[in-house]
Each structure stands twice: as C-alpha cells, then as structure tokens.
C-alpha cells in the first residue's frame, strides 16, 4: 500500500491508502475522492480524471506520453506543467506520499 494525497480546490487534503499496481484514478474512485469523475472508467477517452502533480513530484511521476498528452488538451481546465490523467499514473512505492491537486472545474 502507498499513500496518495488529493488536494481539493478549497485546500482540503484527502489522503488515501492506495493499492500498489492500481491506477491513481481507481484508488480515488474506490475511496470516493471528490473531483475524480472518470467518466470513461480509465479507458483514456474522457480527461475527467485530470490532476496536477506538484513540482516536487513531477520528476518521479513522469510526464504524460502519447495519447494522454493529446487528451490533456481536452480537460475542463487549462493544462498546467504538472497536468496528468490519474488513470495513467500507477500507484507504487516510488510515488508513496505524492500530492495531486484536483482542478476546480472538476469539483
């Protein structure tokens, strides 16, 4: 298990115990984290699980690649340097303690 923190637009932080190997999106949905809509269920076709990775974690989480990069242009809020789709981030010990900000437009 690893901890993933979700920061809401109002500054509230929800920390969840996430199962290593599952997507951050699935962890959020299973634990009812507000703001992670995930209309497509993790199929990389809706961009409703947009999160912003903090500067301290960008190098660890990594940049978006391929189709995720294209999908980030379809998010409900303007893309930022740390923008990722939660369905494309895998939970694991390397990201234990990561904080992800949820855009206000998804809340």
């Amino acid at each position: 298990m690893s901890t993933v923190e979700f920061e809401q637009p109002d500054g509230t932080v929800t920390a969840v115990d996430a199962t290593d190997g599952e997507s951050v999106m699935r962890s959020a949905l299973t634990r009812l984290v507000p703001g992670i809509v995930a209309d497509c269920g993790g199929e990389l076709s809706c961009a409703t699980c947009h999160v912003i990775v903090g500067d301290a974690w960008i190098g660890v989480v990594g940049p978006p690649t391929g189709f995720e990069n294209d999908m980030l242009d379809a998010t409900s809020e303007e893309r930022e340097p740390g923008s990722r789709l939660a369905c494309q981030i895998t939970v694991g010990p390397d990201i234990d303690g990561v904080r992800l900000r949820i855009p206000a437009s998804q809340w």
Side-chain angles (χ1 to χ4, degrees):
M1 294 289 257
S2 297
T3 300
V4 177
E5 296 180 349
F6 296 92
E7 182 179 341
Q8 300 295 331
D10 69 355
T12 303
V13 176
T14 302
V16 301
D17 290 326
T19 303
D20 292 342
E22 74 181 355
S23 71
V24 168
M25 180 217 70
R26 181 68 46 211
S27 297
L29 289 178
T30 303
R31 289 143 186 99
L32 305 174
V33 174
I36 301 295
V37 181
D39 284 334
C40 73
E43 297 297 321
L44 191 57
S45 63
C46 72
T48 60
C49 65
H50 180 205
V51 294
I52 296 97
V53 180
D55 292 342
W57 286 96
I58 290 175
V60 178
V61 175
T65 59
F67 195 59
E68 177 188 5
N69 195 41
D70 296 336
M71 286 301 299
L72 285 166
D73 291 332
T75 60
S76 60
E77 193 158 310
E78 190 169 328
R79 182 179 183 158
E80 296 184 28
S83 286
R84 290 292 309 269
L85 297 180
C87 66
Q88 300 301 299
I89 303 171
T90 303
V91 176
D94 56 331
I95 67 164
D96 186 28
V98 69
R99 181 172 290 188
L100 306 170
R101 186 168 41 89
I102 298 174
S105 60
Q106 286 176 202
W107 203 37

